[in-house]
Amino acid sequence: MTAEPLERALDHDERLTRPTPPPEPPLPLLRTARESDLPELRRLDGEVFQEVAYPAFLLRQLHDLYGGRGGHLLVLDDGDGRLRGYVLAATTAFHSDSWILGLCVAEDRRRHGLGRELMVEVLARLRRCGTERVRLTVEPGNDAAILLYRSLGFRPEPPDGGLRRDYFGPGEDRRVMCLVL
Ligand SMILES: CC(C)(COP(=O)(O)OP(=O)(O)OC[C@H]1O[C@@H](n2cnc3c(N)ncnc32)[C@H](O)[C@@H]1OP(=O)(O)O)[C@@H](O)C(=O)NCCC(=O)NCCS
């Protein structure tokens, strides 16, 4: 008897005893936001950002400014009526500068490359529009986001390594990071 059938038999036994892992959920579709997304956007933004989530009226107006075809408000659509992430870039009146005003991925879908996918797509769109420089703010202790931004080429904007004390009010320090496109 050769070793091969024995190995196959062992493989077979192992397959019988090893629990089958649950199937990975399908990857959500990345697309521009539309008006009907607003309730889900509010839910997701509130779930992730809690007390610093956008108020409903502002999210509505940001959607009006930056959503729709060719826009810079992008969502991850799970196809079951739920959104799993979004990114929002807002461009200044002179089109050369843009700010990332929001980025998130639902907690149970993190570490699957979705945050990177959102950022890569919005940066590609900004580049096509002629944007020259993209900035963002991040909490100084938000290592996950800072590592993501650094890997995309963002660097702290001088002075003080990008640190801006009380940027969003007392005790709300932020780090400003910048990418030249
Ligand atoms: C930041 C955030 C959007 C990242 O989304 P994500 O889908 O988990 O990120 P990705 O899987 O695309 O990871 C991209 C890179 O980010 C970094 N990263 C993401 N999560 C990380 C973690 N928990 N620890 C360390 N690095 C992390 C890694 O560099 C990673 O690259 P790698 O997978 O090659 O190591 C997500 O953690 C989130 O929504 N956080 C809460 C909201 C938030 O902080 N938004 C940013 C506000 S400025």
Side-chain angles (χ1 to χ4, degrees), residues 114-131:
L114 296 174
R116 185 183 298 284
E117 191 188 351
L118 283 167
M119 283 299 296
V120 166
E121 178 60 25
V122 85
L123 292 175
R125 287 175 183 229
L126 290 171
R127 211 173 267 120
R128 286 201 293 274
C129 291
T131 304

Side-chain angles (χ1 to χ4, degrees), residues 2-78:
T2 64
E4 204 191 342
L6 179 62
E7 271 169 19
R8 273 209 217 115
L10 286 173
D11 277 358
H12 179 70
D13 285 350
E14 222 181 291
R15 270 204 301 275
L16 288 178
T17 51
R18 205 188 304 142
T20 326
E24 285 278 317
L27 283 180
L29 175 79
L30 194 160
R31 61 167 173 78
T32 47
R34 31 188 191 239
E35 190 173 8
S36 56
D37 291 326
L38 280 170
E40 259 299 288
L41 259 180
R42 277 199 288 274
R43 180 201 60 76
L44 177 67
D45 195 56
E47 180 184 292
V48 174
F49 292 108
Q50 306 202 355
E51 68 282 355
V52 290
Y54 283 123
F57 80 89
L58 184 55
L59 209 48
R60 158 94 237 179
Q61 292 183 311
L62 290 170
H63 162 271
D64 294 346
L65 280 167
Y66 302 108
R69 265 173 76 87
H72 296 158
L73 174 55
L74 309 177
V75 295
L76 292 170
D77 182 347
D78 238 354

Side-chain angles (χ1 to χ4, degrees), residues 48-49 103-105 109-117 137-139 142-145 147-149 151:
V48 174
F49 292 108
L103 169 73
C104 75
V105 170
R109 304 303 296 271
R110 289 182 193 160
R111 299 303 325 244
H112 287 87
L114 296 174
R116 185 183 298 284
E117 191 188 351
T137 64
V138 58
E139 273 188 73
N142 189 345
D143 293 338
L147 283 168
L148 168 60
Y149 298 141
S151 74

Side-chain angles (χ1 to χ4, degrees), residues 95-112:
H95 292 283
S96 58
D97 287 85
S98 190
W99 286 82
I100 303 295
L101 296 188
L103 169 73
C104 75
V105 170
E107 203 166 358
D108 60 344
R109 304 303 296 271
R110 289 182 193 160
R111 299 303 325 244
H112 287 87

